[in-house]
Amino acid sequence: MKNKFNALISYFDKLKFKYKTAFLIFIIAGGMTCIIILSQISIFAIKQDFDILFDKRTKSLMQLENIKDAYAVNIQDTLSDFEKKQISDKQASEILKLAQEIIDKSWSSYKKQIQIQNKDILTTFIKMFVIKQENYYENKTLKNSIMNNINSKMEIIKNSIIKINLNTQKEDYYINLNLQINSLSIYLTSLINYDLSLAINEKRNTDKIFNIILIFSIISIFIVFLFSVILSIFIINNFKQLHNSLEEKVNIKTKELQELNNSLETKISKEVILNRKKDIIMFQQARFASLGEMLNNIAHQWRQPLGSITMIIQSFQTKMLLGKLNQNFVDEKVKDALLLANNMSNTLDDFKNFFSPNKIKSEFSIKNCIEHSIELSKYLLIQEGIEVKLTIKKDIKINSFYNELSHVFLNIISNSKDALSSNVDKNDRIIKIIVNKFKNHLVVNILDNGGGIPQEILAKIFEPYYTTKYKSAGTGIGLYMSKQIIEKHMDGEISCKNILHKIKDERVFNCSLFTIKIPIQNDNRTSENA
């Protein structure tokens, strides 16, 4: 490619001056043609934006029509049907409540749409240039008055519906409520007519300004074309002198380039030596960073078992003070403490070989792995009054890394515990774990009713060292490490989202849902990317 480019430059240099001049004129003419085409495209793009803005203005009117229909159909007709004994008191109350929610949502959406339109750049342009040129001004006082009346009427009707007792209310109360709704419908009609007339005026005025812009663009193109011709003549007259001076500069630069090439080999050798030194320094820094990360991981995994062991030790003292310390209790707690200590020891082994490419997979039951993680957390879960519901729709044996997967479950359970402890009443704290099989994947869903994760940090929870806890409570690497284990070591996926779920009785809670997908493999191959 470089040789072809140099050949093209060499061929152009050998051309006569008149051919170079013709080439220059061709470039200028082509450029002007492109300018004309692009300017026309831009003008018609603006016209398209004007049309889109008109469509947006008219769409908001549909929301007002929906509000009118909701009052007329969902409220007035419902009250009428109830008076005629066509529906029950419970059905009428549910319809009125649903209608009020629809009305509030539509009215909020309309006001939000108006605010967005007021901030829109194109709308501002129309108000500053298009509307003022036609001596047409938006009567904001009138619109605000209508909207204030609508807000007032809506509030009166809403309070009336909230306080209404369908079985004991008198007939004149329903008549008065219908009058209020009819009055509100009049205000809504006025607002619809106001917005519609404003949109029609804006449409008419933007069409006029578009025609003016089109005429001015044609005149501007002609003027620019004329100036470009004059400029071309001026450039052609000076082109010969510029060409000669350019050749002289090229010769000077060529000489400098030859001198630079002579010293380039020495400079490259020096740079190679410097880069090797930098590589050594970066390698040392990477080793220190890996060591620090491993220590942080171990500290993160030991925090919960140490807390559980502390609780076991305290339970001995409590039982002894109460005189209830017996051999069965001692045996049970010693067994639990040894289990926790063994897990801590396994944690050291796991992280010692965390980056080793020679780890061997083993076949194990996913149910046993999850129950093992729950067992390690049970003391802190009991202390916080947290109930764990494990649902195994299909127990599956997978060929993977038992301890690493157990650490992942332990991390997520620990995060759920922290969220439940700070946000939920002690009688409602639940962690729900559901295991199932989908196609060739094991799917584990872990959710809690801890209020969900704030939307602004949801995308960052798997980043390293990102935490919303105090430094004494978390390092921000638990979920990062879990993502590394699932995606890099097990070729799976881990994700998180907020959902609404009836996790307990009929109440709907804000829940955070972690989903883990692991491919099911039936071989004993070693993990190449572990």
Side-chain angles (χ1 to χ4, degrees):
M1 180 63 71
K2 185 176 180 180
N3 293 333
K4 291 181 179 179
F5 181 73
N6 292 333
L8 183 61
I9 293 176
S10 178
Y11 174 76
F12 183 78
D13 290 338
K14 295 177 181 179
L15 290 176
K16 294 182 179 180
F17 179 71
K18 62 178 182 179
Y19 294 116
K20 293 181 180 179
T21 303
F23 181 71
L24 177 62
I25 294 174
F26 172 76
I27 291 176
I28 294 175
M32 286 304 305
T33 303
C34 292
I35 291 173
I36 293 172
I37 295 173
L38 292 175
S39 64
Q40 294 303 308
I41 292 174
S42 300
I43 292 172
F44 282 95
I46 294 174
K47 180 64 167 59
Q48 180 68 19
D49 290 340
F50 286 156
D51 293 339
I52 292 173
L53 178 63
F54 178 76
D55 292 338
K56 289 182 179 179
R57 293 295 296 267
T58 54
K59 284 181 180 178
S60 62
L61 302 180
M62 297 300 296
Q63 295 169 339
L64 297 177
E65 289 291 348
N66 291 336
I67 294 175
K68 286 181 61 179
D69 293 341
Y71 276 111
V73 177
N74 294 40
I75 295 180
Q76 286 184 317
D77 291 353
T78 299
L79 293 175
S80 177
D81 292 342
F82 178 76
E83 288 184 294
K84 295 176 182 178
K85 306 300 183 179
Q86 295 179 356
I87 59 175
S88 66
D89 173 60
K90 182 177 180 181
Q91 291 174 334
S93 299
E94 291 178 352
I95 294 174
L96 292 176
K97 182 179 178 181
L98 179 60
Q100 191 60 51
E101 291 178 357
I102 294 173
I103 291 168
D104 291 341
K105 184 177 180 180
S106 298
W107 182 239
S108 299
S109 178
Y110 171 78
K111 291 192 289 185
K112 185 176 181 181
Q113 185 79 16
I114 294 301
Q115 292 176 355
I116 294 174
Q117 290 175 358
N118 292 335
K119 295 179 181 179
D120 187 76
I121 296 175
L122 189 57
T123 305
T124 305
F125 170 79
I126 292 175
K127 290 181 179 180
M128 291 177 61
F129 298 100
V130 178
I131 297 178
K132 288 188 177 181
Q133 287 181 3
E134 294 294 327
N135 294 321
Y136 178 82
Y137 295 90
E138 182 181 2
N139 193 340
K140 293 184 177 180
T141 303
L142 175 60
K143 184 170 183 177
N144 290 335
S145 176
I146 295 174
M147 292 186 70
N148 289 334
N149 288 330
I150 292 174
N151 284 326
S152 177
K153 290 292 182 182
M154 282 185 173
E155 193 64 28
I156 292 173
I157 295 171
K158 183 176 181 180
N159 292 332
S160 299
I161 292 174
I162 292 174
K163 298 177 181 179
I164 190 171
N165 190 332
L166 295 173
N167 291 322
T168 61
Q169 209 69 48
K170 296 181 179 180
E171 182 179 355
D172 57 349
Y173 187 87
Y174 296 119
I175 295 174
N176 181 58
L177 183 58
N178 286 327
L179 291 175
Q180 293 288 348
I181 294 175
N182 292 334
S183 175
L184 176 61
S185 297
I186 295 173
Y187 284 121
L188 288 172
T189 302
S190 300
L191 184 57
I192 292 171
N193 292 334
Y194 175 85
D195 283 347
L196 183 60
S197 62
L198 183 63
I200 292 173
N201 278 291
E202 288 180 359
K203 175 67 174 175
R204 184 181 65 252
N205 293 331
T206 51
D207 288 340
K208 290 181 180 179
I209 201 67
F210 169 74
N211 294 329
I212 294 173
I213 291 173
L214 185 61
I215 294 172
F216 273 102
S217 67
I218 295 173
I219 296 173
S220 301
I221 289 170
F222 176 76
I223 294 173
V224 171
F225 183 78
L226 181 62
F227 275 103
S228 65
V229 172
I230 297 173
L231 180 62
S232 299
I233 295 173
F234 176 77
I235 292 174
I236 291 170
N237 290 333
N238 292 274
F239 185 73
K240 196 170 187 178
Q241 296 178 0
L242 294 173
H243 178 71
N244 294 332
S245 63
L246 182 61
E247 282 187 345
E248 184 178 354
K249 290 180 180 180
V250 168
N251 293 331
I252 294 173
K253 293 296 181 181
T254 301
K255 185 177 180 180
E256 292 177 355
L257 184 60
Q258 290 176 349
E259 294 176 354
L260 178 62
N261 287 336
N262 294 331
S263 60
L264 186 60
E265 185 176 352
T266 303
K267 290 183 178 179
I268 290 176
S269 299
K270 292 180 180 179
E271 288 297 327
V272 168
I273 295 173
L274 291 175
N275 287 334
R276 287 178 179 174
K277 291 181 179 179
K278 291 179 182 178
D279 290 341
I280 294 172
I281 294 173
M282 291 179 64
F283 177 73
Q284 292 175 344
Q285 291 176 344
R287 291 182 63 186
F288 287 130
S290 298
L291 179 60
E293 183 177 355
M294 184 180 297
L295 291 174
N296 283 331
N297 286 337
I298 294 172
H300 183 84
Q301 292 299 323
W302 274 24
R303 182 175 285 108
Q304 187 165 336
L306 282 174
S308 299
I309 291 175
T310 300
M311 291 181 60
I312 291 173
I313 295 173
Q314 291 174 343
S315 67
F316 283 116
Q317 184 180 25
T318 303
K319 288 288 185 178
M320 185 179 68
L321 292 175
L322 295 175
K324 297 181 180 181
L325 187 64
N326 55 58
Q327 188 61 40
N328 290 334
F329 178 81
V330 172
D331 292 341
E332 179 184 354
K333 296 304 178 182
V334 169
K335 179 181 177 181
D336 292 341
L338 290 175
L339 177 63
L340 293 169
N342 183 61
N343 178 71
M344 294 171 68
S345 177
N346 290 338
T347 299
L348 286 177
D349 294 335
D350 291 340
F351 283 106
K352 181 176 66 177
N353 299 318
F354 190 78
F355 299 102
S356 172
N358 297 320
K359 290 190 293 184
I360 305 298
K361 294 181 179 180
S362 61
E363 189 176 58
F364 58 88
S365 166
I366 187 65
K367 178 182 178 182
N368 293 339
C369 184
I370 295 176
E371 289 178 344
H372 175 69
S373 301
I374 296 173
E375 183 70 18
L376 294 176
S377 309
K378 73 174 183 179
Y379 286 102
L380 295 178
L381 294 174
I382 293 172
Q383 184 185 31
E384 299 295 340
I386 298 172
E387 178 185 359
V388 180
K389 294 183 177 180
L390 176 59
T391 301
I392 307 292
K393 294 186 177 180
K394 189 169 185 180
D395 189 16
I396 300 169
K397 288 187 177 182
I398 62 173
N399 200 32
S400 190
F401 306 103
Y402 181 92
N403 287 333
E404 289 188 3
L405 188 56
S406 176
H407 290 325
V408 172
F409 295 139
L410 197 62
N411 282 331
I412 298 176
I413 292 173
S414 177
N415 286 341
S416 297
K417 175 188 71 68
D418 294 337
L420 291 168
S421 300
S422 57
N423 298 327
V424 182
D425 183 79
K426 199 164 187 178
N427 296 324
D428 293 328
R429 298 173 181 175
I430 295 176
I431 298 175
K432 195 172 183 180
I433 304 174
I434 303 172
V435 179
N436 204 352
K437 178 183 178 183
F438 181 74
K439 295 183 179 179
N440 293 325
H441 285 78
L442 164 70
V443 180
V444 181
N445 291 313
I446 305 174
L447 64 155
D448 64 76
N449 59 336
I453 300 172
Q455 198 64 34
E456 60 271 15
I457 69 171
L458 186 59
K460 302 178 181 178
I461 61 172
F462 292 110
E463 295 179 3
Y465 304 106
Y466 183 82
T467 179
T468 57
K469 306 174 187 177
Y470 292 105
K471 291 183 178 179
S472 61
T475 60
I477 59 175
L479 291 178
Y480 166 73
M481 184 189 65
S482 299
K483 186 177 181 69
Q484 298 299 309
I485 291 173
I486 295 297
E487 295 186 356
K488 292 188 177 181
H489 291 209
M490 302 181 181
D491 296 325
E493 298 177 10
I494 181 171
S495 60
C496 179
K497 63 180 179 180
N498 294 322
I499 62 171
L500 295 175
H501 185 67
K502 293 181 180 179
I503 198 170
K504 181 179 181 181
D505 52 56
E506 292 299 319
R507 290 178 293 170
V508 177
F509 291 88
N510 290 319
C511 302
S512 59
L513 170 63
F514 283 86
T515 300
I516 299 173
K517 295 182 180 179
I518 301 174
I520 300 174
Q521 299 176 350
N522 295 319
D523 55 31
N524 293 318
R525 293 174 298 175
T526 59
S527 175
E528 296 178 356
N529 60 351

